Amino acid sequence: MDGMTTPPPARPMARGRMFFANPGPTNIPDSVLLATARASIDFNDPAFIALYDRCMAGLKQVLKTTTGEVFAMTTSGHGAWEASLVNVLSPGDTVLIPETGHFSDTWAKMAQRLGYRVQWLKADWRQGIEMARIREALAADAGHAIKAVCCVHNETAAGTRLPIEQVRAMLDEAGHPALLMADTISSLGCYDFRMDEWGVDVCVGGSQKGLMLPTGFAFTGASPKAMEAHKAATTPRFYMDWTEMLGRRHRSFVGTVPVTLFYGLAEALRLMLDEEGLENVFARHARLARAVRACVHHWGAGNSGPQLFCQNPERVSDSVTTILMPEGHDAEAVRKIALERFNVSTGAGLNVLAGKAFRIGHLGDLNEPMILGTLASLEMALELAGVPHGKGGVGAAMASLTQP
């Protein structure tokens, strides 16, 4: 057009597919993308209702529950956090929250703003909470003031996991009636979660991580015990109210259902449950995570280079690896080079780790070549940024992947 020029792009257009190694949202399989490319349909159409019911049954398979209700809503994981609290608690109730990192902190802040008392168990992000601290807190609560224990199963910021099954054992050991609540947002579909077997009363999940979908809906799972607590809970709620949802045909979604996402969910569940098999999905995540950690260990040889942020081998995550930069080196500089030079996208450090760490997401739809390409690009980015590191980290990852 006369007198107008097109501004140059922020960075040169890259050819080929971006290597997307963010810890959420994650890579979406082509078949899932294609499944969502559908014309609109009435969400009360019998054809859609049948698909929806199959999806919710498949979601229960991934959660490993036969007794729980699953309530879906149009939101992200943060909205499901809020739903988990307001549906089972009353103003002034006390919740116990073990610190795991940025996301446990955020859940605690949310609980406080909603009018609940938070009993906070501070912990070292690099080591993970000492489980004895949870046992002590429950044993000390003789009057059962604690109404819920809120645990982040996989802490995406720190690259750590919390053993939910051990928390249940401690509740049982103490004879404590508190509800066990678990954030599975970045663990579900990545490694094992057993809602019924572990006695999880409320679980929180979202579409955009291990389920390999666009962001758009999240859900809460509720045990029979949680449903009983819901009947007595007096926190004001409407859109996220489980009772309101139970009165709808879908037993979820107070309002419009995101129809196209459920066509994608049906395909994602087919890939996970039928084509690959859930246990194989878990094994793949574990295998790729070990390879990433082998590479980072090699980079940090001699303690002068980048280090695994998680220092407790029993708590490392199979969803995401957080990498701490050497003192005086900027994680954002490495991320910028990786993106602009090599078209590789990684996660930023969050909270106190901003600028000090970056994160490699290895969850969802990915394989060995994608991981190796990401690690090779990051090793080049470390070199270009002048960050000291052990050369040959990709070879360490390859050696890990070729082990029997």
Side-chain angles (χ1 to χ4, degrees):
M1 296 177 63
D2 292 343
M4 297 183 66
T5 59
T6 302
R11 59 189 177 92
M13 292 297 294
R15 297 273 62 87
R17 177 167 292 191
M18 173 183 281
F19 275 46
F20 193 71
N22 277 48
T26 60
N27 293 291
I28 303 172
D30 289 345
S31 64
V32 172
L33 286 170
L34 290 170
T36 64
R38 299 181 63 96
S40 295
I41 184 173
D42 184 343
F43 55 79
N44 288 312
D45 187 299
F48 177 72
I49 292 292
L51 174 79
Y52 181 90
D53 289 346
R54 289 199 305 274
C55 285
M56 297 307 276
L59 196 51
K60 287 185 177 184
Q61 282 185 258
V62 180
L63 288 166
K64 296 189 175 178
T65 181
T66 59
T67 62
E69 288 276 2
V70 178
F71 301 100
M73 62 211 78
T74 306
T75 182
S76 67
H78 283 69
W81 272 350
E82 187 162 326
S84 73
L85 296 168
V86 301
N87 274 289
V88 297
L89 299 173
S90 299
D93 280 351
T94 298
V95 295
L96 179 70
I97 303 184
E99 182 178 21
T100 53
H102 173 74
F103 290 98
S104 64
D105 292 8
T106 307
W107 207 0
K109 289 175 184 174
M110 179 185 289
Q112 289 174 326
R113 291 194 188 182
L114 289 169
Y116 311 123
R117 295 186 177 94
V118 173
Q119 185 172 336
W120 181 245
L121 293 181
K122 192 166 179 57
D124 182 343
W125 287 20
R126 301 195 71 180
Q127 294 292 336
I129 184 78
E130 295 177 22
M131 301 307 288
R133 298 275 313 285
I134 301 175
R135 178 184 286 110
E136 291 165 3
L138 294 172
D141 185 32
H144 296 162
I146 297 168
K147 301 304 179 186
V149 182
C150 302
C151 300
V152 177
H153 191 202
N154 186 86
E155 175 55 64
T156 323
T160 58
R161 74 167 85 192
L162 178 67
I164 301 293
E165 64 276 22
Q166 292 183 28
V167 181
R168 166 47 63 194
M170 291 172 186
L171 282 161
D172 293 346
E173 175 188 309
H176 202 294
L179 297 168
L180 176 56
M181 302 173 70
D183 167 356
T184 73
I185 293 169
S186 60
S187 62
L188 191 69
C190 303
Y191 47 86
D192 207 5
F193 181 79
R194 305 184 180 197
M195 183 175 175
D196 287 356
E197 183 180 327
W198 295 348
V200 176
D201 296 300
V202 182
C203 66
V204 175
S207 59
Q208 76 278 16
K209 306 267 187 178
L211 293 179
M212 305 181 294
L213 292 164
T215 307
F217 80 89
F219 57 87
T220 49
S223 72
K225 179 180 173 181
M227 294 306 297
E228 285 300 312
H230 171 70
K231 294 176 183 177
T234 60
T235 301
R237 55 191 180 264
F238 182 79
Y239 177 72
M240 296 177 179
D241 188 353
W242 292 344
T243 297
E244 189 71 29
M245 292 181 187
L246 286 172
R248 307 295 172 118
R249 166 58 188 84
H250 301 84
R251 299 173 71 84
S252 288
F253 292 106
V254 178
T256 305
V257 179
V259 171
T260 55
L261 288 182
F262 278 86
Y263 286 99
L265 177 58
E267 173 60 12
L269 290 168
R270 185 192 71 79
L271 295 176
M272 294 170 68
L273 297 172
D274 300 332
E275 185 173 284
E276 187 173 6
L278 200 55
E279 299 307 314
N280 291 327
V281 171
F282 301 154
R284 172 169 55 84
H285 279 80
R287 183 171 65 251
L288 298 178
R290 284 195 300 270
V292 172
R293 292 193 291 268
C295 177
V296 178
H297 279 305
H298 192 91
W299 286 342
N303 296 321
S304 61
Q307 303 287 323
L308 281 179
F309 182 74
C310 179
Q311 295 179 314
N312 185 343
E314 295 182 358
R315 297 290 182 85
V316 289
S317 167
D318 283 347
S319 299
V320 54
T321 296
T322 300
I323 300 159
L324 186 66
M325 295 291 286
E327 192 69 32
H329 292 275
D330 182 12
E332 289 305 293
V334 174
R335 293 184 65 239
K336 186 173 187 290
I337 293 170
L339 181 63
E340 295 184 352
R341 286 285 298 270
F342 306 118
N343 205 24
V344 171
S345 176
T346 56
L350 299 177
N351 201 302
V352 297
L353 295 178
K356 298 178 180 179
F358 65 93
R359 297 174 297 150
I360 299 174
H362 34 80
L363 67 165
D365 183 42
L366 75 168
N367 58 21
E368 289 84 351
M370 295 164 74
I371 285 293
L372 292 173
T374 296
L375 294 174
S377 299
L378 284 167
E379 188 162 322
M380 290 188 288
L382 290 171
E383 181 73 23
L384 290 168
V387 179
H389 62 283
K391 306 296 192 296
V394 180
M398 293 170 63
S400 172
L401 289 170
T402 53
Q403 290 177 359

